[in-house]
Every structure is written in structure tokens, then in C-alpha cells.
Amino acid sequence: NRAQLEQENQRLRIEIANINKIKEETEKIKQETQALVSVFDQIRPWSAVLQDLGDRIPATVQIDSIKQIPPTAPTEGQPAPNPAGGVEISGFGRSFSDVNDFMLSLQQSRFFKAAQTKIITAELVDAPIQLGFQSTTSIEIKAPQIVKYTIQSSLSDVPASELIRELEQKGTVGLVNRIRSMQQIGVIQK
């Protein structure tokens, strides 16, 4: 009886070890799945960001260039930088007020961090005028003064699953469908 019980005990220990191994593998798969899901939740489609910029820009402001600013390395004693980085928008506006209105409008966007959206430079310059004809007379044309600006902002770190309505309105259907599928499965919370 004793030998039989020891044999049964040994068999149960092997089964317990197998169960623990399966639990570890399951936990590892859950972590990998969560890491993959977090990638989808961090995506900021440029098409949606650019559409949002287009919707917010006043008619009297032009964008000349948009540059992506890579995330900076963390510094000691400072909060961790935004992993999404930021943007630098440069262009021309009719007046300082128009450029300020554009910046305030960007602060209302859920795609940007309001507290980190600011005007870096704004100065009056002569408007770049391109004449499409050659004149034989010496007519002097004075270019009007316009505001040349640079605005910087950090991209929002709000998860994409919380921006579904905004992404849908901006036409980012593919990402929205993926997120909704993951919510139905239960991988991402609604």
C-alpha cells in the first residue's frame, strides 16, 4: 500500500509540475498579447492627425511645414517623455491674433497635449510675393506684413481605444475596426 501511495504521490507531483508549467506559459502568452494590444492602443495615424489639423486651421493661417519631433531621452528628476513624440508646425498667418487662434484651437484637440502646445516663434515678415509676369516698367510693389510662426506640441498619450469617435470622424476606419474587434474579444476594455 505504501509503495502504491508513494507512486501515486510521485505521479501527482509530476501533474502539479505540468499544471504549473502550463500556468506559466499561459501567463507569458497573456503578457505577449497585452504587449501587442498596447501597440494598437498607442497608434496615432498621421492621416487622422493631419485631418484634425486641417479641420482646426483658420482660413487666414497657412501651414508651410510639419515636422515630427522624436521623443527625448528621460532626464533625472523629470517626468518620462511622451513616447509618441511631438510635432512642430511652421507657416504664415495674417495676424498674431490668427496664429494665436490656431494655437488655441490645437489645444482643444484630443490628438495633442494642451499644456504642451505653444507658440515657439512669431514674427512680422514681408509676405513672399511671386509675380507671374515680367513688367517693363519699374513699378515697386510693397509686400504686406504677415506673421511667420512656429508652434510645437506633443502628441497625446490618450489610448487609441479612447479616441474611437475622433478616429472614426477623421476616417481612420481600419484602426477603429481592429480596436472594436479586440474589445469584443475582451482583450481591450470598453
Coordinates of all heavy atoms in Angstrom, one line a residue, residues 96-147:
F96 N -1.1 88.2 -35.6 CA -0.7 87.5 -34.4 C -2.0 86.8 -33.8 O -1.9 85.7 -33.3 CB -0.1 88.4 -33.4 CG 1.3 88.8 -33.8 CD1 1.6 90.1 -34.2 CD2 2.4 88.0 -33.7 CE1 2.8 90.5 -34.6 CE2 3.7 88.3 -34.0 CZ 3.9 89.6 -34.5
S97 N -3.1 87.5 -33.9 CA -4.3 87.0 -33.4 C -4.8 85.7 -34.0 O -5.2 84.8 -33.4 CB -5.4 88.1 -33.5 OG -6.7 87.6 -33.0
D98 N -4.6 85.7 -35.4 CA -5.0 84.5 -36.1 C -4.1 83.3 -35.7 O -4.6 82.2 -35.6 CB -4.9 84.7 -37.6 CG -5.9 85.8 -38.1 OD1 -6.9 85.9 -37.4 OD2 -5.6 86.4 -39.2
V99 N -2.8 83.5 -35.6 CA -1.9 82.5 -35.2 C -2.2 82.0 -33.8 O -2.2 80.8 -33.5 CB -0.4 82.9 -35.2 CG1 0.5 81.9 -34.6 CG2 0.0 83.3 -36.7
N100 N -2.6 82.9 -32.9 CA -3.0 82.6 -31.5 C -4.3 81.7 -31.5 O -4.4 80.8 -30.8 CB -3.1 83.8 -30.7 CG -3.3 83.5 -29.2 OD1 -2.4 82.8 -28.6 ND2 -4.3 84.0 -28.6
D101 N -5.2 82.1 -32.4 CA -6.4 81.4 -32.5 C -6.2 79.9 -33.0 O -6.8 79.0 -32.5 CB -7.4 82.0 -33.5 CG -8.0 83.3 -33.0 OD1 -7.9 83.6 -31.8 OD2 -8.6 84.1 -33.8
F102 N -5.2 79.8 -33.9 CA -4.8 78.4 -34.3 C -4.2 77.6 -33.2 O -4.6 76.4 -33.0 CB -3.8 78.6 -35.5 CG -3.4 77.2 -36.1 CD1 -4.3 76.2 -36.3 CD2 -2.1 77.1 -36.5 CE1 -3.9 75.0 -36.8 CE2 -1.7 75.9 -37.0 CZ -2.5 74.8 -37.2
M103 N -3.4 78.2 -32.4 CA -2.8 77.5 -31.3 C -3.8 77.1 -30.3 O -3.9 76.0 -29.8 CB -1.7 78.4 -30.6 CG -1.0 77.6 -29.5 SD -0.6 78.4 -28.0 CE -1.8 79.6 -27.7
L104 N -4.8 78.0 -30.0 CA -5.8 77.7 -29.0 C -6.7 76.6 -29.6 O -7.2 75.7 -28.8 CB -6.7 78.9 -28.7 CG -5.9 80.0 -27.9 CD1 -6.8 81.3 -27.9 CD2 -5.6 79.6 -26.6
S105 N -7.0 76.6 -30.9 CA -7.7 75.5 -31.5 C -7.0 74.2 -31.4 O -7.7 73.1 -31.1 CB -8.0 75.9 -32.9 OG -8.7 74.8 -33.6
L106 N -5.7 74.2 -31.5 CA -4.9 72.9 -31.4 C -5.0 72.4 -30.0 O -5.0 71.2 -29.7 CB -3.5 73.1 -31.8 CG -3.2 73.3 -33.3 CD1 -1.7 73.6 -33.5 CD2 -3.6 72.1 -34.1
Q107 N -5.0 73.3 -29.0 CA -5.1 72.9 -27.6 C -6.4 72.2 -27.3 O -6.5 71.4 -26.3 CB -4.9 74.1 -26.7 CG -3.5 74.6 -26.6 CD -3.4 75.9 -25.8 OE1 -4.4 76.6 -25.5 NE2 -2.2 76.1 -25.3
Q108 N -7.4 72.4 -28.1 CA -8.7 71.7 -27.9 C -8.7 70.3 -28.5 O -9.7 69.5 -28.2 CB -9.9 72.5 -28.5 CG -10.0 73.9 -28.0 CD -10.2 74.0 -26.5 OE1 -11.0 73.2 -26.0 NE2 -9.4 74.8 -25.8
S109 N -7.7 70.0 -29.3 CA -7.7 68.7 -29.9 C -7.3 67.6 -29.0 O -6.4 67.7 -28.2 CB -6.7 68.7 -31.1 OG -6.5 67.4 -31.6
R110 N -7.9 66.4 -29.1 CA -7.6 65.3 -28.3 C -6.3 64.6 -28.8 O -5.8 63.7 -28.2 CB -8.7 64.3 -28.2 CG -9.9 64.9 -27.4 CD -10.9 63.9 -26.8 NE -10.3 63.0 -25.9 CZ -10.8 61.8 -25.6 NH1 -12.0 61.5 -26.1 NH2 -10.2 61.0 -24.8
F111 N -5.9 65.0 -30.0 CA -4.7 64.4 -30.6 C -3.4 65.0 -30.1 O -2.3 64.5 -30.3 CB -4.7 64.5 -32.1 CG -5.7 63.6 -32.7 CD1 -6.9 64.1 -33.2 CD2 -5.5 62.2 -32.9 CE1 -7.9 63.3 -33.8 CE2 -6.5 61.4 -33.4 CZ -7.6 61.9 -33.9
F112 N -3.5 66.2 -29.4 CA -2.4 66.9 -28.9 C -2.5 67.2 -27.4 O -3.7 67.2 -26.9 CB -2.2 68.2 -29.6 CG -2.0 68.1 -31.1 CD1 -3.0 68.3 -32.0 CD2 -0.7 67.7 -31.6 CE1 -2.8 68.2 -33.3 CE2 -0.5 67.6 -32.9 CZ -1.6 67.8 -33.8
K113 N -1.4 67.3 -26.7 CA -1.4 67.7 -25.3 C -1.6 69.2 -25.2 O -0.7 70.0 -25.6 CB -0.2 67.3 -24.6 CG -0.1 65.8 -24.3 CD 1.2 65.5 -23.5 CE 1.2 64.0 -23.2 NZ 2.4 63.7 -22.4
A114 N -2.7 69.7 -24.6 CA -3.0 71.1 -24.5 C -1.9 71.9 -23.8 O -1.5 72.9 -24.2 CB -4.3 71.3 -23.8
A115 N -1.4 71.3 -22.6 CA -0.4 72.1 -21.8 C 0.9 72.2 -22.6 O 1.7 73.1 -22.2 CB -0.2 71.4 -20.5
Q116 N 1.2 71.3 -23.5 CA 2.5 71.4 -24.2 C 2.3 71.9 -25.6 O 3.3 71.8 -26.4 CB 3.1 70.0 -24.3 CG 3.4 69.5 -22.9 CD 4.0 68.1 -22.9 OE1 4.2 67.5 -23.9 NE2 4.3 67.6 -21.7
T117 N 1.2 72.5 -26.0 CA 1.0 73.2 -27.2 C 1.3 74.7 -27.0 O 0.6 75.3 -26.3 CB -0.4 73.0 -27.8 OG1 -0.6 71.6 -27.9 CG2 -0.6 73.6 -29.1
K118 N 2.3 75.2 -27.7 CA 2.7 76.6 -27.5 C 3.3 77.1 -28.8 O 3.9 76.4 -29.6 CB 3.6 76.7 -26.3 CG 4.9 75.9 -26.4 CD 5.6 75.9 -25.1 CE 6.7 74.9 -25.2 NZ 6.7 73.8 -24.2
I119 N 3.2 78.5 -28.9 CA 3.9 79.2 -30.0 C 5.4 79.4 -29.6 O 5.7 79.9 -28.5 CB 3.2 80.6 -30.2 CG1 1.8 80.4 -30.6 CG2 4.0 81.4 -31.2 CD1 1.0 81.6 -30.7
I120 N 6.3 78.9 -30.4 CA 7.7 79.0 -30.2 C 8.2 80.3 -30.7 O 8.9 81.0 -30.1 CB 8.5 77.8 -30.8 CG1 7.9 76.5 -30.2 CG2 10.0 77.9 -30.6 CD1 8.1 76.3 -28.7
T121 N 7.8 80.6 -32.0 CA 8.3 81.9 -32.6 C 7.1 82.5 -33.3 O 6.2 81.8 -33.9 CB 9.4 81.7 -33.6 OG1 9.0 80.9 -34.7 CG2 10.6 81.2 -32.9
A122 N 7.0 83.8 -33.4 CA 6.0 84.5 -34.2 C 6.6 85.9 -34.4 O 6.9 86.6 -33.5 CB 4.7 84.6 -33.4
E123 N 6.8 86.2 -35.7 CA 7.4 87.5 -36.1 C 6.8 88.0 -37.3 O 6.4 87.3 -38.2 CB 8.9 87.4 -36.2 CG 9.3 86.4 -37.3 CD 10.8 86.2 -37.4 OE1 11.6 87.2 -37.1 OE2 11.3 85.1 -37.8
L124 N 6.8 89.4 -37.4 CA 6.3 90.0 -38.6 C 7.3 89.9 -39.7 O 8.5 90.3 -39.5 CB 5.9 91.5 -38.4 CG 4.5 91.8 -37.8 CD1 4.4 93.2 -37.5 CD2 3.4 91.3 -38.7
V125 N 7.0 89.5 -40.9 CA 7.9 89.4 -42.0 C 7.1 89.9 -43.3 O 5.9 90.0 -43.3 CB 8.4 88.0 -42.3 CG1 9.2 87.5 -41.1 CG2 7.3 87.0 -42.6
D126 N 7.9 90.3 -44.3 CA 7.2 90.6 -45.6 C 6.7 89.4 -46.2 O 7.4 88.3 -46.2 CB 8.2 91.3 -46.5 CG 8.6 92.7 -46.1 OD1 7.8 93.3 -45.4 OD2 9.7 93.2 -46.4
A127 N 5.5 89.4 -46.8 CA 4.9 88.3 -47.4 C 5.7 87.9 -48.6 O 6.1 88.8 -49.4 CB 3.5 88.6 -47.8
P128 N 5.9 86.6 -48.8 CA 6.7 86.2 -50.0 C 5.7 86.3 -51.2 O 4.8 85.5 -51.4 CB 7.0 84.7 -49.7 CG 6.1 84.3 -48.7 CD 5.6 85.5 -47.9
I129 N 6.0 87.3 -52.1 CA 5.1 87.5 -53.3 C 5.8 87.0 -54.5 O 7.0 87.2 -54.7 CB 4.8 89.0 -53.5 CG1 4.0 89.5 -52.3 CG2 4.1 89.2 -54.8 CD1 3.6 91.0 -52.4
Q130 N 5.1 86.2 -55.3 CA 5.6 85.6 -56.5 C 4.8 86.2 -57.6 O 3.6 86.0 -57.7 CB 5.5 84.1 -56.5 CG 6.4 83.5 -55.5 CD 6.2 82.0 -55.5 OE1 5.4 81.4 -56.2 NE2 7.1 81.3 -54.7
L131 N 5.5 87.0 -58.5 CA 4.8 87.6 -59.6 C 4.8 86.6 -60.8 O 5.9 86.1 -61.1 CB 5.4 88.9 -60.0 CG 5.3 90.0 -58.9 CD1 6.1 91.2 -59.3 CD2 3.9 90.3 -58.6
G132 N 3.7 86.5 -61.5 CA 3.7 85.5 -62.6 C 3.9 86.2 -63.9 O 3.7 85.7 -65.0
F133 N 4.4 87.5 -63.9 CA 4.6 88.2 -65.2 C 5.8 89.1 -65.0 O 6.3 89.4 -63.9 CB 3.4 89.1 -65.5 CG 3.1 90.1 -64.5 CD1 3.6 91.4 -64.7 CD2 2.3 89.9 -63.4 CE1 3.3 92.4 -63.7 CE2 2.0 90.9 -62.5 CZ 2.5 92.1 -62.7
Q134 N 6.4 89.5 -66.1 CA 7.5 90.4 -66.1 C 7.0 91.8 -66.5 O 6.3 91.9 -67.5 CB 8.6 89.9 -67.0 CG 9.3 88.7 -66.5 CD 10.5 88.3 -67.4 OE1 10.7 88.9 -68.4 NE2 11.2 87.3 -67.0
S135 N 7.4 92.8 -65.8 CA 7.0 94.1 -66.1 C 8.1 94.9 -66.7 O 9.3 94.8 -66.3 CB 6.5 94.8 -64.8 OG 6.3 96.2 -65.0
T136 N 7.8 95.7 -67.7 CA 8.8 96.5 -68.4 C 9.0 97.9 -67.7 O 9.9 98.6 -67.9 CB 8.5 96.7 -69.9 OG1 7.2 97.3 -70.0 CG2 8.6 95.4 -70.6
T137 N 8.0 98.2 -66.9 CA 8.1 99.4 -66.1 C 8.6 99.1 -64.7 O 8.6 98.0 -64.3 CB 6.7 100.1 -66.0 OG1 5.9 99.2 -65.3 CG2 6.1 100.4 -67.3
S138 N 9.1 100.1 -64.1 CA 9.7 99.9 -62.8 C 8.7 100.3 -61.7 O 8.8 101.3 -61.0 CB 11.0 100.8 -62.6 OG 10.6 102.1 -62.8
I139 N 7.7 99.4 -61.6 CA 6.7 99.5 -60.5 C 7.2 98.8 -59.3 O 7.6 97.6 -59.3 CB 5.3 98.9 -61.0 CG1 4.8 99.6 -62.2 CG2 4.3 99.0 -59.8 CD1 3.6 98.9 -62.8
E140 N 7.2 99.5 -58.2 CA 7.6 98.9 -56.9 C 6.4 98.4 -56.2 O 5.5 99.2 -55.9 CB 8.4 99.9 -56.1 CG 9.1 99.2 -55.0 CD 10.1 100.1 -54.3 OE1 10.9 100.8 -55.0 OE2 10.1 100.1 -53.1
I141 N 6.4 97.2 -55.8 CA 5.3 96.6 -55.1 C 5.7 96.3 -53.7 O 6.7 95.6 -53.5 CB 4.7 95.3 -55.7 CG1 4.3 95.6 -57.1 CG2 3.6 94.7 -54.9 CD1 3.9 94.4 -57.9
K142 N 5.1 96.9 -52.7 CA 5.4 96.7 -51.3 C 4.6 95.5 -50.8 O 3.4 95.4 -50.8 CB 5.0 97.9 -50.5 CG 5.2 97.8 -49.0 CD 6.6 98.0 -48.6 CE 6.7 98.0 -47.0 NZ 7.5 96.9 -46.5
A143 N 5.4 94.5 -50.3 CA 4.7 93.3 -49.8 C 4.1 93.6 -48.4 O 4.6 94.3 -47.6 CB 5.8 92.2 -49.6
P144 N 2.9 93.0 -48.2 CA 2.2 93.2 -46.9 C 3.0 92.5 -45.8 O 3.7 91.5 -46.1 CB 0.8 92.7 -47.1 CG 0.9 91.7 -48.2 CD 2.1 92.2 -49.1
Q145 N 2.8 92.9 -44.6 CA 3.4 92.2 -43.5 C 2.5 91.1 -43.0 O 1.3 91.3 -42.9 CB 3.6 93.2 -42.3 CG 4.6 94.3 -42.6 CD 6.0 93.9 -42.3 OE1 6.3 93.7 -41.1 NE2 6.9 93.7 -43.3
I146 N 3.1 89.9 -42.8 CA 2.4 88.8 -42.3 C 3.2 88.2 -41.1 O 4.3 88.6 -40.9 CB 2.1 87.7 -43.3 CG1 3.5 87.2 -43.9 CG2 1.2 88.2 -44.4 CD1 3.3 86.0 -44.8
V147 N 2.6 87.3 -40.4 CA 3.2 86.7 -39.2 C 3.8 85.3 -39.6 O 3.0 84.4 -40.1 CB 2.3 86.5 -38.0 CG1 2.9 85.8 -36.9 CG2 1.7 87.9 -37.6

